[in-house]
Amino acid sequence: MTIRQSLSLRVRWSVYTVLLLCGMFVTSSGAADGFPRLRGDIYLHDPSTILECDGRYYVYFTGDGIGIHSSADGITWVYEGQVFNSPPSWTTSTITGFDGFFWAPDIVEVDGRYYLYYSVSTWGSRRSAIGLAINTTLNPDDPEYQWVDQGLIVQSYHTSNFNAIDPSVLLTESGQLWMAFASYCDGIFMIRLNRSTGKRISSNSTMTHLAYKDMIEGAALIEHDDWYYLFVNWGGCCDGVDSTYEIRVGRSQSITGPYYDRDGVRMTSGGGTFFMEGSGNVIGPGHFSLFPQDHGDYFAIHYYDADYGTYGDKVGGQTTHGIFPMTWDDEGWPIAEADWMANYRFASDVRDDRGRFHGLLHEDATIVADDTYGSVLDLSADNAYVELPSGVGFARTYVAVVKANDLNEGQRIFSLGQGDDEILLTPAIKAGRGTRPQLQITLDGVTQTVTGTDDLEEGVWTHLAVTLDGEEAAFYFNGELQALADVSLSPLDIKPMNNRLGKHHEQDSDVFNGSIASFRIYSWALSPDEIVEPVPTIDHPGVGTSYVPGMDLRFSGSADDFMGVPLNEDTLTWQIEWHHDGVNERITEITSVADSNVVLSQEEGFYRLILRASDDANRVGQTTLDLYPAPVDTPEPWTALYSFDNDAQDDLGNLNGSLRSGAQTVGVNRGADHYLQLDGSNDYVNLPAQAGQWRSFGAWINWDGGNNYQRILDTGVNTNSYAFVATSHHLGQPVFEMVIPNGGGTRFLEYSDPLPTDEWIHMGLIMDGSQAVMYLNGQAMAVLQSTNLLPEDTNPNKAYLGRSMFATDPYFNGNMDGVVLSSEVLSIDELMSLCESNSELHLWP
């Protein structure tokens, strides 16, 4: 690689935007797929309202002594300890069996003091109580910081018609203080509190009944535009991905109700307008609280992450804090902007365009060239299939453009499920009944189906789509609605934790013998019009993008028709809008171009980047990206390239390193090119601390083998705060590991096979704050979903090639070349292009 080539790529990336995670969301036909992706220690249950104090946000949650998390920006959170070192004496004497594990706190600021309400109970008991603690600050470093317990506020008994847990407190605009609370039993109740003390206005004051459902809890009160809104959870919590929580809402013009849903049904009679259900990796959303920002409303919840951690003995289901944008419709009802889509176009691997649900090729599954689509997924080899993340199965619409080589019985285009429960799309129903495609959904031995009316033909590209709304399933064949069927089962019932294209989700079975040109998944049930809309994609800027005021933003995109066939750029229209304080101003409109640029000058509000695409039938599809200004101290993006032609200098002139302890660069019989040679004794490369703020890493590696945990790259501070890539761990596979203090545990990613020795291979790792993807020779080999950390979160002051932060770990023994580090989220193609030192020496599939 020449320096000129490197510099040209560096310039290209510098005119994109600074990559941050705050204040951005993406929509596509109503899909908000870029809500702020929280980082750090975000693992909690029953979060309180988030409050700001002394420049930091604080949230309180269920746990020993009441847990505390804090954040400077609302994005990266750290653990701050707990409110009580030991439970107040009244709690253990009043509630038999209580051991100091408090539930579901909520907090409100009143006249310069903070009122923290908390639940005292034991599992399955109605004997419960809500208590209060008061502080004058939330900052643990403030000399005045001290939680002073105020004792009991309200109590329930085994004979009560309510359960005194789950407080939600609202200080109204008129200055009154109210608390909604309770769980199951007769539903949700409310009492008025004394603003001066935070306690009940009197021991026998009126208790108002607000809402009822057989499974209801987690109430939240908010005030908006002369209305009071009551959010509640229906369903059950505390069972990982098997939790059934969903959020419902009603409203009233009186704080005490009655509260009605959109259809006019009283919430005390079981009413509640749908607000949010489990979808994608966000399962069992609950404990709503409003989190208003200058540029719009957000709301916070907890959920069970289908793609991360464990819950009890179940894989997946880590309890997690989430923040989502919220809008209001023309009738004043709140809308959760939490919809998403995943679009797999198989350009080079199984990444989705939104960068959220990266899949993996298995066995002999390959990406091959195609005259119509450019490239397609080939599943014709024996046992070839694709593995998809757990979260991608929790959806409402599945679309596949397929070509079958044969139509033998038992094949699966996709299979989503766990155990015997499954959602599958087969290209042909049972032998003797034709070759009509069919969707089958099976739960506890009961199967419901919807079947197309046309036969699938071998060797013909065909568009198949199915929508499931929980009551009815619709089947589309080449965009035409062919069948409607009563299908009450949904993916939320199946809980599909194991998902595959081309094969049964767990077992050996007949593999789909054919190809897939595109596979799209939507969190909502598409309408007939949406099914046949073109599908535009904003390629740049990417998910997780903010802008620096005054910069020249380059943007680019593309589109396919509903069959997945690429559309020409003359079908595209770009529109840029500036939004501020409810005013929308169109900045520019550009037609018939795939990419262009615009100067974003405003320091307040946000810009909306809209890409529309039209097809030959004048159908229009739209996708939207909202970009907010980055903080004023945002560092400039950077990329560093180490070809080792000039020791450890950065070919791009950004982050020069140095050779240490005998590390050397050597030449080979290929002109002036060199590579780094490390003998595993104590030699290494020292890089500037800024290199530890990488998001993309790539290098050509020629490993000589040896002991485990040899470091290829290690950045961070010490053994408590680091991010490293190593040749192998104790089982012998390549590994990435990251830890920060109070960051919610270790992030760990490994490849299933050992790293080859005595041959040049390319190794890459790309992180976007949500997922980490490990590549070997340009192919994704391992994915860690819901990473929720970036190397910059380690606050790095050290960066090494070939050396570990751990004194007992061995040094790297082998050679490196074409090492790239970047603060930007590069694609693997861009990363490999930068890394390539000599195309004749380094060839990859």
Side-chain angles (χ1 to χ4, degrees), residues 130-160:
I130 294 173
L132 168 65
I134 294 179
N135 207 330
T136 58
T137 179
L138 303 182
N139 180 2
D141 296 327
D142 190 314
E144 301 298 320
Y145 180 84
Q146 182 181 7
W147 287 105
V148 179
D149 190 65
Q150 305 297 307
L152 177 70
I153 301 301
V154 63
Q155 182 175 359
S156 60
Y157 304 89
H158 295 307
T159 57
S160 300

Side-chain angles (χ1 to χ4, degrees), residues 336-359:
E337 297 290 351
D339 280 334
W340 57 269
M341 72 166 294
N343 185 14
Y344 298 94
R345 294 189 288 179
F346 310 111
S348 58
D349 59 10
V350 193
R351 73 191 76 172
D352 76 284
D353 288 339
R354 301 301 180 90
R356 185 174 178 185
F357 297 110
H358 206 298

Side-chain angles (χ1 to χ4, degrees), residues 430-713:
K430 292 184 178 181
R433 301 183 188 176
T435 57
R436 290 175 295 155
Q438 182 181 77
L439 181 110
Q440 303 171 14
I441 180 167
T442 300
L443 177 66
D444 295 334
V446 175
T447 299
Q448 298 177 348
T449 65
V450 59
T451 310
T453 57
D454 285 357
D455 288 342
L456 203 64
E457 297 183 43
E458 294 178 0
V460 177
W461 285 109
T462 308
H463 171 280
L464 304 174
V466 180
T467 67
L468 299 155
D469 65 10
E471 297 180 357
E472 190 175 58
F475 196 100
Y476 296 84
F477 191 102
N478 285 335
E480 177 187 351
L481 176 60
Q482 288 198 338
L484 293 171
D486 293 332
V487 175
S488 58
L489 295 175
S490 76
L492 282 175
D493 300 316
I494 302 302
K495 301 173 178 61
M497 295 297 292
N498 302 303
N499 306 314
R500 292 176 176 177
L501 298 178
K503 191 178 181 181
H504 187 279
H505 62 279
E506 290 179 357
Q507 306 167 6
D508 288 334
S509 63
D510 291 335
V511 175
F512 173 60
N513 182 8
S515 302
I516 303 178
S518 65
F519 183 56
R520 300 195 300 273
I521 307 147
Y522 299 80
S523 64
W524 73 99
L526 267 64
S527 68
D529 289 340
E530 289 175 314
I531 287 287
V532 293
E533 285 179 356
V535 184
T537 300
I538 296 176
D539 298 317
H540 295 290
V543 172
T545 301
S546 297
Y547 74 93
V548 175
M551 79 180 305
D552 188 5
L553 173 74
R554 177 181 172 181
F555 51 88
S556 62
S558 57
D560 302 329
D561 67 12
F562 80 96
M563 288 287 295
V565 177
L567 295 172
N568 295 327
E569 67 178 38
D570 60 7
T571 67
L572 304 178
T573 300
W574 294 90
Q575 185 171 307
I576 315 296
E577 299 174 347
W578 177 57
H579 293 238
H580 182 58
D581 285 342
V583 177
N584 305 339
E585 178 182 343
R586 182 178 300 183
I587 303 302
T588 186
E589 184 169 298
I590 307 171
T591 59
S592 301
V593 295
D595 61 87
S596 187
N597 63 286
V598 65
V599 175
L600 304 183
S601 58
Q602 298 291 342
E603 297 181 0
E604 297 180 326
F606 65 90
Y607 285 95
R608 175 159 292 168
L609 181 61
I610 303 169
L611 176 60
R612 296 187 179 96
S614 59
D615 60 16
D616 292 339
N618 293 320
R619 294 173 294 217
V620 178
Q622 174 177 304
T623 189
T624 301
L625 174 67
D626 288 355
L627 303 104
Y628 292 89
V632 294
D633 58 350
T634 299
E636 286 291 327
W638 55 265
T639 298
L641 168 65
Y642 304 95
S643 68
F644 303 108
D645 288 342
N646 185 19
D647 292 335
Q649 301 298 293
D650 174 9
D651 291 0
L652 306 183
N654 294 313
L655 303 177
N656 291 328
S658 58
L659 304 176
R660 298 291 178 89
S661 303
Q664 59 182 328
T665 61
V666 298
V668 295
N669 295 323
R670 51 187 180 100
D673 288 338
H674 292 71
Y675 60 87
L676 174 67
Q677 185 178 76
L678 302 174
D679 63 14
S681 57
N682 63 350
D683 52 346
Y684 66 99
V685 172
N686 188 62
L687 300 176
Q690 187 178 355
Q693 298 177 3
W694 60 276
R695 299 188 180 189
S696 301
F697 163 73
W700 285 100
I701 305 294
N702 190 316
W703 184 40
D704 291 338
N707 294 331
N708 293 327
Y709 286 105
Q710 294 181 36
R711 292 297 195 275
I712 299 170
L713 172 70

